[in-house]
Amino acid sequence: MNRSPQSIPNRRRKCCRCNGVNARFPTILGPFLPMWVTISNLLQMLRLRCPLHILDGSTTRDKMPYVPWTPSPQSPPSLIEEQDHNVTRPLSLNTPSNFAMTPHTPFPSLFAPLPCLSNGHSSPDSSILEFAANDLLPTQSHVCDVPPEQSEVLSSSQHPHKKSCPVQGCQQLIAPTMWRQHMTLHAQGFFSGVVPGSWLQEQDLFVCPNCQQLVANSRHTSHLRKCTHATAAPSSLSLLSVQVADPSLSPLPTFESVCKLPGRTVRHIPLKDRLAFALVMSSALRSAVHDNSEDAWLKLLMLPKCVLLAPKRAGRHHKPVPISRLCAQWSKGEFSALWNRASNHYSPGPMRLTSNHKSSSVQTAVSLAREGLLSKACQTLTSSGLAPDNNTTWNLLVSKHPKGIPPTPPTAPLLAAPYLPPDFNIMAVLHSFPKDTACGPSGLRIQHLIEAAEVPLQFPICAVLREVVNMLISGKVPVQVARFLAGGNLVALEKNKPNCPPDIRPIAVGEAIRRLAGKCLCSMTKAKAHDFLAPFQLGVACQGGAEKIIHGLRSCVDEHWHEVDFAVLKIDLHNAFNRVSRQAVLNACALHIPELLPWSQWCYGQHPALWHSLGTISSEIGVQQGPVAAIARVLAIIQESGPPLGLNINIAKLFCAKFVAQKQSEASKLLKKLEAVGSIDPQVALLLLRQCGSFCRLVHLARNTPPLLVNEAFALFDDCVQQCFSECTTVDASAATWQQAQLSLKRGGLGLRSLSFHSPAAYIASFLSSGLSPSSGRYISSSLHLYNSLVDPQDSITHESVGDSPLSQKVLSSKIEDQQFNNLFHNASVTDRALLLSISSPHASAWLSVTPSPRLNLHLEPAEFQVALKWWLNIPVVQGQSCPHCPSCVLDDFGHHSLTCKHGGDVVSRHNKLRDVFYDFCQRTCLGPRLEMGCGAGSDSQSRPADVLVPNWDLGKPAAFDLSITSTLQSSALLEASMTAGLAAQLAENRKHNNSDKKCDELGWACIPLVVETYGCWGAEAVAALSKLAGRLSVRNNEQKSKTIFSLYSRLGLTLVRANCRAILSRLT
């Protein structure tokens, strides 16, 4: 029913303080009614009221006398008129949003753009808050400016339920329910006056020093903890700021304070925040290039600690501020506010592994390994820790950094400044850094640059980084920045040696951008440096240089050992990097490699600063790892030119004759530490043992030492590895089982290679790569004889066969493993042969290489992992127990019945979990997959030929993927499976085609069976389909296909192994 304007009840009420009208917008707006309907929610929030309408508790239901409202004379003509009891009031629709709220103020424009916050983004919530801040809230000196002739004196007698505000100078009458809100505005400075302490004590409240909120004393501790450690989303009161200061006027910190601020940054930027960080990083880099001012470089160094600081603690009550929000503040220019936050909420660095914290090193190593930082996890286990922060450490640091004078710039021929061409692959240089590279003084990590560079932008990070590097290597950056950008964080490591006084090893961690520039410059001058330094200096631009020195020296000794006056002198330069003369470095660069001079002069023309927790040290002599031209040809000139260069021979350093035995003993210490890791997480312990603790631990000795001399020490080390494996996994392996464990993963083993077996291959490959003739080595003949005894006669090698084409260690070791696998296969039973063929198939052992991360659901519980190893190595798991789900069946010792038992639901659960993993990868590729698609209505409507249906797979044709898990050791084809790998999967594929091809053809689908054996061997069609899926996903994620294939097979394999182990464990009593 239509209602006339006269019939609309009066919804306007008078303000009890200023006689203003608490007006709502009219409900009928004539021809504009459709538009008002679409923004009805906004109308409910845009209630133009005096601030005291909110604070004094009055509502539209308060019955107050009606006071006519007079329009402002400055207001434009009205577009809408509201009639109420023969009174016409114009409602302006064109008034600017920043109008003063008085009783005569017209309504703001409703069809104009909404007012915005300072960030320029328009949203209903932010617009309303800004509107309330600018127009509704009074300032400190202006509470409610009401003309005296329109004021109405109100007393407590007229409003007995209200009381006067106790703040001096404030005469407002406040309802009891609004006391807290009103006094909070006084405490936050929106209203003038100070909250009396007597009133706070009476109400049992206190004022929070951080957010100025009134909080009950009973919540004192909990509120301060949340308010200090977690920055929640800004409340509406914090956004109601009347006066906004210009952030550009706030002073910036100094370079010194930026570099000295402690705290660590996050290792990885979350995916949802990478775009925001890439934008601000690109902007900061471009500002540094275009402005090239001290402020621009200061902001670049400030950025990581302002937006990437790691939170102090984790947990529900300590949620960090999203990086994207901090980046938004940075883009607004709120540099000082972000820096103040970083200074007050910085996160402490990692735990110092001193002697008092040895027990925590094991747990720290486990955490690092679960993040994929394997080398750092092993360093944590074997490191003696950081030197304590005391006077002794400080004195040793100062003594290792002597004083000096700045070098004089040498004269060099006028050459064009080095320049990275546009096609220079700076992304490859970034990836050449180790994965766990530490951050410099600014907190910027190489991983941050990699993750930001992967974001597509209008100004790509790689292109901007190339320009920054060009400025650095040409020496065009202001010299005032060099002291800080060329400096680094100083770390003092304990250097404990028996029968030696306490000492430290200083490590300087330079800035990430400086190290990037140095690497780029080295890659450009690599060829020229090699031509100049070789053959006396083989440490730069020479692949395998250390091995060439050893093999060449051994050949020289073999040739001249009978001469009476022949001797070999091995020297060590005392504190060489910290004492080499910088003047000599610059002179050598100017003379031999002038391209290095601008960069070297910029880095070492001033005195870079090194920051330690105990203080700041000025690096005045020596160099960081980088240009090494100054010590070229040092062997030829050490006696006459060494002391002037600051290089003195360290005579006190002794070298043990039993070097190999000593190294073997040191490597065994890590194995002892891994046993403690195995008690916490055996999956992590095995991964560290394979990647860092077994063969790879002493491979450098195997490549440089003849096997005839070290075979006994290597055999002892193999025994230590086997003992460590048994302690870590509680799996006792027999001789045959240990032979399988020593095979590589792709041959069905655990990758714990035998050092004594593979040392001949390592030595032969290293000797041949040095360029020496096989006839010149005294030990090469014995090494070839030992190698030929370990391989098939057809794969044996002689002096003549290796003379022309050097063989790699990978090729030689592969032939040794082939022979080991063949010996193991021929001595195995029919069942063991079928098992070996299945686990040695492609991608079957991918689950053993995953990073055991619980967050990524790639982790096995200790009980599951122990069962998985026994099941994988064919070690008895159960003995003489009956199946609880089918009592008539007796469980076999190896758990094969548990994997095929139809009772208990384990078979269906395993199938569904694998199906869900494949479905998840299809979703990531945006293929629009659908689960469990059947044939529709009909007599056979319960049939579902598609576990996962992909609507557009090949040339627009839908594909029905039917997942099936078949037993490798099924009795019907066991004999054939022991001779042909993947036979069980092939038979299952044929059965799937016979059952589903006809149904899929009727629906226009392509039937693709995804068949996998219980031991991880995939069918041929499944391998082709997964390879195609990985290719599409790699294109979408902009990553290498091999990496995506590994991720796909490792997750599928781990899901399969976890389900198999749980099926076995569920049947154990």
Side-chain angles (χ1 to χ4, degrees), residues 115-285:
C116 303
L117 290 174
S118 57
N119 59 2
H121 297 286
S122 176
S123 63
D125 294 338
S126 62
S127 302
I128 293 167
L129 292 173
E130 181 73 7
F131 179 76
N134 295 336
D135 302 328
L136 297 185
L137 280 181
T139 61
Q140 295 183 3
S141 60
H142 177 83
V143 176
C144 192
D145 189 9
V146 182
E149 60 273 9
Q150 295 188 8
S151 299
E152 187 174 357
V153 181
L154 299 177
S155 62
S156 58
S157 60
Q158 294 175 298
H159 299 278
H161 63 287
K162 299 180 180 181
K163 295 183 179 180
S164 300
C165 176
V167 177
Q168 185 177 2
C170 181
Q171 302 298 329
Q172 299 186 37
L173 298 179
I174 310 300
T177 57
M178 303 301 295
W179 272 102
R180 180 77 65 86
Q181 290 85 341
H182 178 84
M183 301 302 287
T184 299
L185 290 181
H186 276 293
Q188 292 182 338
F190 291 110
F191 290 171
S192 59
V194 180
V195 180
S198 59
W199 183 86
L200 291 174
Q201 186 177 3
E202 178 184 351
Q203 300 295 327
D204 196 22
L205 299 175
F206 80 99
V207 180
C208 175
N210 300 314
C211 62
Q212 284 75 43
Q213 293 279 351
L214 297 185
V215 186
N217 286 324
S218 59
R219 298 183 63 249
H220 183 279
T221 304
S222 60
H223 176 82
L224 286 181
R225 182 174 67 249
K226 297 178 183 179
C227 186
T228 302
H229 294 284
T231 304
S235 62
S236 58
L237 290 177
S238 63
L239 287 176
L240 299 179
S241 176
V242 179
Q243 297 179 352
V244 181
D246 186 1
S248 62
L249 300 179
S250 302
L252 295 176
T254 61
F255 282 98
E256 186 80 17
S257 60
V258 171
C259 296
K260 290 177 63 176
L261 180 69
R264 59 185 178 88
T265 52
V266 295
R267 289 195 179 98
H268 297 277
I269 303 174
L271 285 174
K272 60 184 178 63
D273 298 325
R274 290 183 182 178
L275 175 59
F277 176 74
L279 289 173
V280 296
M281 174 56 71
S282 177
S283 176
L285 291 172

Side-chain angles (χ1 to χ4, degrees), residues 793-808:
Q794 298 179 356
D795 297 329
S796 60
I797 57 177
T798 60
H799 290 81
E800 295 77 12
S801 61
V802 300
D804 298 332
S805 57
L807 298 174
S808 65

Side-chain angles (χ1 to χ4, degrees), residues 596-618:
L596 295 176
L597 184 58
W599 172 242
S600 303
Q601 175 66 32
W602 186 85
C603 287
Y604 302 116
Q606 306 294 324
H607 292 329
L610 301 177
W611 290 276
H612 189 266
S613 57
L614 294 174
T616 304
I617 296 179
S618 179

